[in-house]
Amino acid sequence: DSLHHHPPSASFFPEPFTMSRAVLQVFEQYQKARVTFVQTVADLSTRPQNVEALQNADVMSLLRPLLLDNVPSIQQSAALALGRLANYNDDLAEAVVGNGILPQLVYSLSEKNRFYKKAAAFVLRAVAKHSPQLAQAVVDSGALDALVGCLEEFDPSVKEAAAWALGYIARHNGELAQTVVDAGAVPLLVLCVQEPELTLKRISACALSDISKHSPELAQAVVDAGAVAYLAPLIQSVDGKLKRHVCACLAQIAKHSVELAEVVVEAEIFPKILTCLKDVDTQVRKNSATCIREIAKHTPELARLIVNAGGVTAIVDYVNETRGNARLPGIMTLGYISAFSETLAMGVIVAKGVAPLMDALVREPEDHIKAASAWSLGQIGRHSPDHAKALAVHNVIGRLLSVYQNEDSSEDLKTKAKRALKSVIQKCIHLEALEPLISDARRNILKYIVHQFAKVLPKNMDARKAFVTSGGLKKIQEIQAEPGSKLREYIDQINVCYPEEIVRYYSPNYAQGLLDKLESYQPQ
């Protein structure tokens, strides 16, 4: 019982040490809970089916204070979770903006460690990607200077995250791209292209492409920073994704003007870029074809340079080997080259370019691809009778006619087919190819066809004979042409080439006239 007289035990008056332990435990538990919460949310955010539930639970306002947490790993996970959520849709991205989170992220970009910088740049990219308005919100939050500062970091993955965010801001429109240029991003992106890390090269090339695409001035800013000299050799890289972005960027620079296209050509991309047309990566093939198209379209000199490098055969192969939208840049390149001169167009014919264009006109399901093929065929055939004949022997004229007269064809396709028909028919003196079309063509095309016969028949005895024996002259007599019309005039010019009784013999009412004569005829 003497025990009861002892002073109260330590459990009533804990030592200072155990006291702080108990307090500490509360903080540790709270920290563990924050870590668990933020990591779980970041994990849940990777699966689309969870996003709505997280949104309904007002996850944004719970993550926001964790961005300023005193534990770096919690800050990073909170940013990662926000980035993943903002990436899904513009509602969530709007919520990031609405919750006033952007200024916090921007502040962190200049202050915190590299892991956090990566995560913060990821959120900015995820917000900016959805729309010009959201990208503008990122710009307004002062993010550009901080992101450009990250391009000077030592760590390649921080540079990468910043370059990616800058590219996503620039891609929406010229004004946003200009703000990225004004922030001094371009020379640093050009330095990033020269870094050894592949992903950094890819993302920087992509960002430069997103800047260049909007206007000649923006493309010029990229050129002035010396980008082309470092991009051009990378078309021989072994990395497919890098080649994609490099070809795309060179195309976005070259498309704006002759001067910019010449800058790209002077970096000696020919004939090296032609090997990209056979690359295993379909996107590399398409982007390199697009780059070639953007150069070919400007001047006869640039088109000839492509031809001299062996470009026509390579593009013809490309059009033969591809299908669908990927075919388009190849189809258009052949049209652009052919448009400049009859020599260049003959080069396309000799390289067997007509057959794949004809194939695209007939077999491609999409009207805009058919329309491009019709346009290119018109550019090849419109130069001379020889050019027109090269199309006629492939029955291109007949095909263009049926596409033009097909009710289901789009207006653009009809317009392009009609223009091509008109320009090729007006050069075509290969009458065997035109004759079957006399019965099929509508009036507005028929007059061009009949006009060709009116031009050729007076000068060519063999053609006049063939026209009778094939039934052509008979078809011409069956056409009901308005007196005074061009069509009537051309038919009369043809009829003058033949003795009157032959023309009468092939007229539709000739037999009826004979029967009438019979009725009034009295035998002696």
Side-chain angles (χ1 to χ4, degrees):
D1 96 341
S2 63
L3 288 172
H4 296 288
H5 300 289
H6 275 297
S9 75
S11 62
F12 289 103
F13 301 105
E15 296 296 315
F17 171 75
T18 37
M19 175 73 176
S20 62
R21 182 81 207 101
V23 172
L24 211 55
Q25 213 174 350
V26 176
F27 281 87
E28 279 172 1
Q29 282 170 338
Y30 181 46
Q31 181 171 322
K32 265 193 198 137
R34 296 201 312 282
V35 168
T36 310
F37 171 76
V38 79
Q39 285 179 350
T40 309
V41 169
D43 189 42
L44 289 169
S45 308
T46 57
R47 288 183 289 285
Q49 62 269 32
N50 299 328
V51 171
E52 201 180 332
L54 288 166
Q55 202 172 350
N56 295 340
D58 196 20
V59 70
M60 290 287 171
S61 53
L62 294 172
L63 286 171
R64 186 189 168 192
L66 298 178
L67 286 172
L68 298 175
D69 202 276
N70 58 358
V71 181
S73 72
I74 292 175
Q75 296 178 354
Q76 287 150 35
S77 297
L80 186 61
L82 280 167
R84 284 174 179 166
L85 290 165
N87 209 19
Y88 276 107
N89 60 42
D90 34 10
D91 285 350
L92 285 157
E94 301 271 7
V96 170
V97 177
N99 274 291
I101 290 168
L102 295 180
Q104 276 170 246
L105 292 167
V106 173
Y107 167 76
S108 318
L109 276 178
S110 42
E111 298 292 315
K112 298 285 193 289
N113 68 21
R114 62 203 178 100
F115 299 108
Y116 191 84
K117 285 180 173 168
K118 260 162 61 177
F122 168 54
V123 184
L124 295 171
R125 174 184 113 215
V127 172
K129 92 171 191 184
H130 294 288
S131 69
Q133 294 72 25
L134 283 161
Q136 189 62 54
V138 172
V139 172
D140 295 342
S141 72
L144 288 180
D145 289 342
L147 286 168
V148 170
C150 288
L151 290 177
E152 299 187 83
E153 285 280 324
F154 176 69
D155 185 319
S157 61
V158 174
K159 287 183 184 152
E160 204 178 289
W164 210 341
L166 289 164
Y168 271 46
I169 293 167
R171 70 171 45 170
H172 292 291
N173 60 42
E175 293 74 43
L176 284 161
Q178 189 63 55
T179 61
V180 172
V181 172
D182 295 342
V186 174
L188 294 168
L189 287 168
V190 173
L191 285 173
C192 290
V193 168
Q194 300 164 64
E195 294 282 348
E197 291 78 18
L198 268 179
T199 44
L200 181 54
K201 280 182 188 294
R202 286 178 198 155
I203 290 165
S204 311
C206 186
L208 290 168
S209 179
D210 284 331
I211 292 168
S212 310
K213 70 182 183 183
H214 300 289
S215 71
E217 294 72 25
L218 287 160
Q220 191 64 53
V222 171
V223 167
D224 292 343
V228 175
Y230 296 106
L231 288 167
L234 297 176
I235 56 178
Q236 291 180 293
S237 162
V238 290
D239 182 66
K241 286 184 180 155
L242 177 57
K243 279 188 285 194
R244 280 182 203 177
H245 294 312
V246 168
C247 290
C249 187
L250 294 172
Q252 298 289 17
I253 292 169
K255 74 179 183 183
H256 294 290
S257 69
V258 181
E259 294 73 27
L260 287 163
E262 282 169 351
V263 170
V264 173
V265 167
E266 281 157 16
E268 296 179 353
I269 62 165
F270 288 101
K272 293 177 279 199
I273 197 165
L274 300 179
T275 54
C276 292
L277 293 170
K278 297 244 184 244
D279 199 90
V280 289
D281 184 316
T282 51
Q283 203 58 47
V284 171
R285 296 202 291 271
K286 185 180 179 188
N287 291 1
S288 57
T290 304
C291 182
I292 294 165
R293 175 190 72 193
E294 299 298 12
I295 292 166
K297 71 182 186 183
H298 290 291
T299 63
E301 292 70 33
L302 285 166
R304 205 166 295 117
L305 184 139
I306 293 169
V307 173
N308 294 344
V312 171
T313 315
I315 289 282
V316 169
D317 287 348
Y318 175 81
V319 178
N320 266 319
E321 289 156 15
T322 47
R323 294 291 173 268
N325 258 329
R327 238 175 171 180
L328 204 54
I331 290 168
M332 291 173 74
T333 301
L334 294 177
Y336 281 132
I337 290 173
S338 304
F340 285 119
S341 76
E342 54 183 274
T343 320
L344 287 168
M346 195 45 83
V348 173
I349 292 169
V350 172
K352 299 190 168 54
V354 175
L357 290 172
M358 172 74 167
D359 177 82
L361 178 70
V362 175
R363 291 170 195 263
E364 285 294 340
E366 299 276 344
D367 274 5
H368 69 281
I369 302 174
K370 285 181 188 283
S373 310
W375 175 79
S376 288
L377 287 163
Q379 299 307 322
I380 295 170
R382 69 185 175 82
H383 293 285
S384 78
D386 287 341
H387 291 77
K389 185 176 181 180
L391 265 59
V393 295
H394 279 89
N395 189 27
V396 169
I397 301 174
R399 275 301 177 178
L400 284 168
L401 184 66
S402 58
V403 164
Y404 167 60
Q405 296 188 164
N406 182 345
E407 292 305 319
D408 298 332
S409 295
S410 69
E411 284 312 306
D412 179 54
L413 175 51
K414 286 179 184 170
T415 307
K416 298 257 193 329
K418 184 184 175 186
R419 277 191 201 143
L421 272 169
K422 203 170 141 180
S423 56
V424 177
I425 290 169
Q426 287 174 324
K427 285 284 186 275
C428 185
I429 55 175
H430 183 63
L431 299 183
E432 302 91 290
L434 294 178
E435 198 178 303
L437 310 179
I438 294 173
S439 11
D440 301 337
R442 291 186 194 144
R443 287 302 162 99
N444 56 348
I445 299 295
L446 186 60
K447 66 177 179 197
Y448 298 111
I449 297 171
V450 176
H451 192 195
Q452 292 311 103
F453 287 93
K455 285 184 210 167
V456 176
L457 294 175
K459 302 174 190 148
N460 186 326
M461 179 65 193
D462 291 341
R464 289 203 292 278
K465 257 192 203 154
F467 194 52
V468 173
T469 52
S470 66
L473 187 62
K474 182 172 189 291
K475 279 187 202 164
I476 289 284
Q477 305 316 315
E478 288 161 3
I479 297 169
Q480 308 282 316
E482 296 288 315
S485 65
K486 282 280 180 207
L487 184 53
R488 183 71 257 168
E489 186 188 316
Y490 301 146
I491 292 172
D492 293 344
Q493 285 169 10
I494 292 170
N495 289 345
V496 170
C497 303
Y498 293 95
E500 205 179 314
E501 52 270 35
I502 292 185
V503 175
R504 219 177 19 246
Y505 176 73
Y506 285 113
S507 298
N509 43 13
Y510 179 69
Q512 189 56 50
L514 290 181
L515 286 173
D516 293 349
K517 268 191 181 166
L518 179 63
E519 276 181 16
S520 61
Y521 180 70
Q522 295 297 326
Q524 295 303 318

